[in-house]
Amino acid sequence: MSRFLASNPEVLPMSSLDIYFGDNLPILREFDKETFDLIYIDPPFNTGKTQTRKRLKTIRDKNGDRVGFQGKTYKTTELGSMEFSDSFADYLDFLKPRFVEAYRLLSPSGSFFFHIDYREVHYCKVLLDQIFGRECFINEIIWSYDYGARSKKRWSPKHDNILWYVKNPSDYTYRHDDIDRIPYMAPGLVGPEKAAKGKTPTDTWWKTIVSPNGKEKTGYPTQKPLAILSRIVNVHSNPGDRILDFFAGSGTTGEAAVRAGRNAVLIDNHPEAIKVMAERLAFASPVLHDVEQTDQRELPAFDFAKTA
């Protein structure tokens, strides 16, 4: 294993970050039971499509190919693209043993968050009710965003579903005072004091997607906003807790965890995901597991000479 020689004062000293490359199921089975206080997963949604994301570089150019703010022109260059197949012959058979492991690994007061979309959420909830128990289902959170094309044949789907389960419905972490507050829609109706403080969100979270041109963007096809994961981490875990994401993708859960003083374990079997996470999270000095057993030619953009 290797450790990046990097640091960042925003990361609290207690934080640790481990990144595993490989099939998550056998890796999960190696961990001791009830050793994670929060588990969040955002698996492929089984859309039946190939998920693709292009990486672009944009510079000011009077002869550019696109027009931006105030009529300024820009030239774009494609740096590359990432893609993966999002299709499973039997999606629930794929998820079930991983749900079982999540339940086994969750601490007695832990929470499990499952991020999915409208196509599969109903079937997955029935399966999770069987594994966790219906009494352990606390909330369905709707993440709503307003970006992208509009359908002319149906109401345009612009939300994801996040199911929240706990190990024990009588004992779980919910740090109400750490909820990030949002503005009142009608501040004049509540008075200046309440308006200045803001209100706590409901089970519908209005957050934009990661901006295609923003600093947060890694180029990974299914990257989720840091604000979403930070809210989950800050409210549903305590400083020093251990957090697991075994469909880690671009590593957003890991960044949210270490910046909040939590410890994180990330797992993914896609070489591009490992490359993106290693570069994005270098500030947190992650420990990479099984990197030496991979074909480093699959990670062409990563400089392994910087590891020790």
Side-chain angles (χ1 to χ4, degrees), residues 13-69:
M14 67 189 72
S15 300
S16 66
L17 179 60
D18 292 90
I19 300 175
Y20 288 79
F21 175 77
D23 180 359
N24 53 30
L25 189 55
I27 296 173
L28 293 174
R29 287 170 173 163
E30 292 297 317
F31 295 141
D32 292 336
K33 67 177 183 179
E34 299 186 342
T35 51
F36 291 94
D37 305 289
L38 172 63
I39 301 175
Y40 166 92
I41 61 170
D42 171 27
F45 285 0
N46 198 28
T47 62
K49 302 176 181 178
T50 297
Q51 300 289 343
T52 303
R53 184 76 68 207
K54 292 182 179 179
R55 290 180 288 129
L56 304 176
K57 180 180 180 181
T58 306
I59 59 174
R60 283 285 306 279
D61 189 320
K62 64 180 181 180
N63 298 316
D65 56 350
R66 63 175 60 190
V67 178
F69 183 64

Side-chain angles (χ1 to χ4, degrees), residues 270-286:
H270 198 296
E272 286 291 342
I274 301 300
K275 179 179 76 68
V276 168
M277 284 192 281
E279 293 176 351
R280 176 184 187 179
L281 301 172
F283 71 89
S285 300

Side-chain angles (χ1 to χ4, degrees), residues 253-272:
T253 303
E255 179 166 353
V258 295
R259 291 195 184 279
R262 278 68 162 168
N263 306 297
V265 173
L266 308 178
I267 307 172
D268 207 286
N269 69 344
H270 198 296
E272 286 291 342

Side-chain angles (χ1 to χ4, degrees), residues 131-236:
I131 295 170
F132 279 78
R134 292 185 66 178
E135 72 281 2
C136 293
F137 172 68
I138 305 298
N139 269 126
E140 178 180 28
I141 297 164
I142 303 298
W143 168 37
S144 297
Y145 42 85
D146 190 22
Y147 182 84
R150 294 290 195 274
S151 173
K152 294 182 178 180
K153 297 182 178 179
R154 60 172 177 162
W155 297 106
S156 301
K158 297 295 178 185
H159 79 275
D160 286 359
N161 308 68
I162 304 175
L163 304 179
W164 171 26
Y165 285 81
V166 298
K167 198 74 170 279
N168 181 353
S170 300
D171 179 21
Y172 56 85
T173 300
Y174 186 73
R175 298 168 62 94
H176 181 270
D177 291 343
D178 289 339
I179 299 175
D180 54 302
R181 290 181 171 264
I182 60 177
Y184 281 93
M185 295 183 68
L189 299 179
V190 299
E193 185 176 345
K194 280 190 174 182
K197 186 177 181 181
K199 61 181 178 179
T200 56
T202 66
D203 60 0
T204 300
W205 297 357
W206 288 93
K207 292 281 186 182
T208 187
I209 66 167
V210 178
S211 170
N213 299 316
K215 292 182 179 179
E216 189 178 329
K217 193 67 183 175
T218 64
Y220 198 76
T222 58
Q223 181 181 355
K224 298 303 184 291
L226 182 60
I228 295 291
L229 270 302
S230 293
R231 178 177 288 175
I232 292 173
V233 166
N234 290 334
V235 176
H236 298 281

